[in-house]
Amino acid sequence: MFTVEQRNALRERVLRLGEADVRVVAGAVVGSLAVNGGDRFSDIDLTFAIADHVPVTDVLADWTTRLIGELDAVWLTDLERGATVYRVFLLPDALQLDLSMTPAAR
C-alpha cells in the first residue's frame, strides 16, 4: 500500500512534468485532494489544459511512455468526455493516478 509521502511525491512529479512541457498551458489538482486534502487512501487526480494547436492524444502518448518507463505505471483505461480525455494509471503499491487533458480553448 502506498504512503501519503509517496502519493505527494508522485503528485509533485507529475505537476513538474506539466510545468516543463511547453504544450501544457495550465494544470490543477482536482478531486478529493483539491477539496479537503483527501485522506490516507485518496488517489491523485490531475488535469491539464493543452495548447490548442497540439493534439491531446500526442501529449498523453508521450506522458504515458514516461510514466510506464520511469515509474512502472500500468495504463488501465481511457474515458473520453467531450474534448477531455481521462487516462487512469495504477502504480506500484496500488497508487492510482487519474490524469485528464483538455484543449485549452475548452
Side-chain angles (χ1 to χ4, degrees), residues 38-61:
D39 62 24
R40 159 79 182 87
F41 302 103
S42 294
D43 65 352
I44 300 171
D45 301 285
L46 300 174
T47 190
F48 295 91
I50 306 303
D52 291 321
H53 67 280
V54 177
V56 166
T57 53
D58 288 358
V59 181
L60 273 172

Side-chain angles (χ1 to χ4, degrees), residues 1-2 5 9 25 34 40 43-45 61 67 70 74 78 82 84 92-93 103:
M1 188 66 183
F2 64 89
E5 292 78 17
V25 298
R40 159 79 182 87
D43 65 352
I44 300 171
D45 301 285
L67 291 169
E70 296 174 10
V74 175
D78 282 353
T84 302
D93 298 323

